[in-house]
Amino acid sequence: MERNRSGNRAAAMMEGRLIACIIAAGSLNFCGVVVETSMNVTFPALMREFEVGTATVQWVTTAYLLTLAVCIPVFAYLRRRFSTRALFIGAIALFLCGTVAGAIAPAFAVLLMGRVLQGVGASIGLPLMYDIIINRVPAPKVGLMMGVASLITAVAPTIGPSLGGLMVSVASWRMIFIVLAPVVVAALALGLSGMRGERETLRGTISFDVRGFLLLAFGFSALVLGINEAALSGWLGVRTLMLFALAAAFIGAFGMHATRATVPVLSIRPLAQRGFAFALVPVMGVQLIILGLGYLIPNFAQLVLGADSLQAGTIMLPGCILAASLSPLSGKLLDRVGATVPVCTGMVAVVLAPALYAIAGSRLSVSLMVALYVLFGFGQGNTLGNCMTNALKRLPGDLAADGNAIANTAQQLASAFGTSLASTCVASAQASGTDMAFATLSGSVTAFWMLAVVGIIAGVGFLLSLRAEQQD
């Protein structure tokens, strides 16, 4: 009896340390998203203080996204080269330096440097969180822990706009960085306590694939810049098409390089696993819809319904809370019955919500928008974390680090596509119409339908991943 109690206490202590590590690593992504979403509210203040234009101030967001896209693929190399503890401390140090730089920035260039440093830290912390789950959590509890990770990241977009508006109204945009600095320090203390006493064998010295990194860096940079350009000049603009062509050339060159290199910076072998490749489709699809709705709903509420910024900022709050609350529960359900039940149930809601937004159109009210986003929150809580679990669990151990980097990079690129797709639909309609409210309504309805189609594609991708698993 005493032995069982001791075993239970040891298991509970081990689980507590794992949760501490997951939360600590996830805190970097949480803080990064909070800064990203809150800084959008501060753009007018930044433009006045630093005397920069709209195109320049957008780099506060673009620089962060570019850094994530370029640096996340390097995680596979870092994971082979360094221990979890070393990676965690390095990520925290970089993110904290970026946060301090943002808080004291005397010039816009210093603010940008701070955002880049935060991006480097988050590009290590985000895949590290999933790496801890996949490699250290017992298989029967992977879904639950992935749900905990999804809870952390689901809350951030809700806090960001409210924090940004509050700081600008009562203090300064710099307070956003100042408020988050203690959170980063607390994450350091939490993570180190969770990793206390752990020993990990280093993989030894591995040469860094410089050529592969440069090809990926140029490719993803051109892709992110192309997505941003599409939001400004349309998807068929000359500069947009040129950037996409450059992205395709560099990424294609990397693909050929990766098949020949002994140890590429990022192995593409996980994509040969059909179950994993198909499972990435719902991961990207759901993430794209989240960001697309995150752009459409506040703009629709203000420009069409005449809601104030406070109302517009809180429309998504109940749905985000539901998504965050459901994530661990749906992950636990995945551990018990598999991914099919929670993901298929959630996918129905993910498709229905934007479709119902489009069908309601001019009949939408603030209360109806809240209700429909609660429906979407139900879908998000059942799909996002479980789709990531479904993807990563399909890989053998030797491909786990590369698959993790690929999945997280794909998720970040989908985020950029989501905002750009939605904003392009609305901007195109606004440019062709004289009535701003009607044009915004028309463009938003088009965007809602497109997001519903993306949801259908995501659902099909999930079903194909299940079929591939059965055939394999």
Side-chain angles (χ1 to χ4, degrees):
M1 180 71 70
E2 187 64 32
R3 184 177 299 175
N4 289 337
R5 288 178 181 174
S6 299
N8 291 337
R9 282 197 299 270
M13 186 177 297
M14 180 65 70
E15 184 170 317
R17 287 185 177 180
L18 280 172
I19 293 175
C21 293
I22 293 166
I23 293 175
S27 294
L28 292 183
N29 185 56
F30 169 84
C31 292
V33 174
V34 166
V35 174
E36 180 181 351
T37 53
S38 59
M39 289 301 283
N40 290 338
V41 183
T42 71
F43 281 176
L46 293 174
M47 292 167 68
R48 288 192 300 270
E49 180 170 340
F50 294 117
E51 298 180 349
V52 296
T54 302
T56 301
V57 80
Q58 291 287 348
W59 276 94
V60 171
T61 298
T62 303
Y64 182 77
L65 291 175
L66 267 176
T67 305
L68 287 178
V70 170
C71 293
I72 286 179
V74 182
F75 177 79
Y77 165 80
L78 296 175
R79 188 66 190 89
R80 297 186 187 101
R81 180 67 182 83
F82 301 103
S83 68
T84 300
R85 187 184 180 90
L87 288 177
F88 174 73
I89 294 173
I92 288 285
L94 287 165
F95 197 95
L96 188 58
C97 288
T99 303
V100 172
I104 65 173
F108 188 73
V110 178
L111 176 60
L112 278 187
M113 181 188 70
R115 292 294 286 143
V116 169
L117 288 173
Q118 286 183 322
V120 177
S123 71
I124 299 173
L126 179 59
L128 184 63
M129 175 179 67
Y130 291 112
D131 181 82
I132 292 170
I133 294 171
I134 295 300
N135 291 313
R136 301 197 177 194
V137 174
K141 293 188 176 181
V142 167
L144 172 62
M145 292 301 181
M146 197 71 80
V148 172
S150 299
L151 184 154
I152 299 168
T153 54
V155 173
T158 306
I159 295 175
S162 302
L163 178 65
L166 179 63
M167 292 299 102
V168 170
S169 61
V170 302
S172 163
W173 59 267
R174 297 177 188 274
M175 284 299 297
I176 296 171
F177 295 93
I178 294 171
V179 167
L180 288 180
V183 178
V184 180
V185 174
L188 174 62
L190 184 64
L192 292 180
S193 68
M195 298 174 191
R196 187 177 61 238
E198 291 189 7
R199 294 289 183 270
E200 187 171 356
T201 303
L202 292 176
R203 280 76 171 169
T205 302
I206 302 172
S207 60
F208 184 67
D209 178 19
V210 177
R211 181 184 297 178
F213 171 73
L214 291 176
L215 289 172
L216 268 187
F218 286 129
F220 285 145
S221 296
L223 183 57
V224 171
L225 292 174
I227 294 169
N228 285 349
E229 184 64 31
L232 298 174
S233 59
W235 292 91
L236 298 179
V238 175
R239 291 183 61 183
T240 303
L241 293 177
M242 288 179 62
L243 286 166
F244 283 154
L246 280 174
F250 279 117
I251 294 173
F254 171 77
M256 291 187 289
H257 167 78
T259 59
R260 300 168 183 168
T262 305
V263 184
V265 65
L266 179 68
S267 174
I268 59 174
R269 286 191 299 148
L271 295 175
Q273 305 281 327
R274 292 188 306 157
F276 173 77
F278 283 129
L280 285 182
V281 177
V283 171
M284 297 180 68
V286 174
Q287 187 71 17
L288 188 153
I289 297 171
I290 291 171
L291 272 293
L293 291 178
Y295 174 87
L296 290 171
I297 290 173
N299 282 279
F300 188 98
Q302 293 180 81
L303 298 179
V304 179
L305 302 181
D308 58 35
S309 57
L310 180 61
Q311 282 181 304
T314 56
I315 285 175
M316 297 183 294
L317 182 59
C320 288
I321 292 173
L322 178 62
S325 303
L326 277 178
S327 293
L329 299 176
S330 65
K332 194 170 184 178
L333 181 61
L334 178 145
D335 291 330
R336 291 181 176 178
V337 302
T340 304
V341 172
V343 173
C344 287
T345 303
M347 279 297 177
V348 173
V350 165
V351 174
L352 271 180
L356 291 174
Y357 273 119
I359 291 170
S362 60
R363 297 186 297 276
L364 281 170
S365 63
V366 170
S367 57
L368 181 56
M369 294 187 80
V370 171
L372 291 180
Y373 200 79
V374 168
L375 174 64
F376 179 77
F378 172 82
Q380 179 185 342
N382 279 288
T383 54
L384 188 60
N386 287 334
C387 286
M388 183 66 84
T389 306
N390 181 55
L392 296 180
K393 286 181 70 173
R394 295 174 180 277
L395 295 174
D398 60 326
L399 298 180
D402 293 289
N404 185 5
I406 290 171
N408 279 283
T409 303
Q411 196 173 22
Q412 296 304 320
L413 293 174
S415 298
F417 269 110
T419 302
S420 182
L421 179 67
S423 62
T424 302
C425 290
V426 175
S428 177
Q430 290 173 342
S432 61
T434 55
D435 186 334
M436 178 63 72
F438 180 78
T440 303
L441 168 64
S442 175
S444 297
V445 167
T446 301
F448 285 134
W449 279 123
M450 293 183 73
L451 294 180
V453 172
V454 171
I456 293 172
I457 295 172
V460 171
F462 175 72
L463 294 177
L464 289 174
S465 73
L466 296 179
R467 182 178 179 183
E469 182 182 24
Q470 293 174 350
Q471 291 178 345
D472 291 343

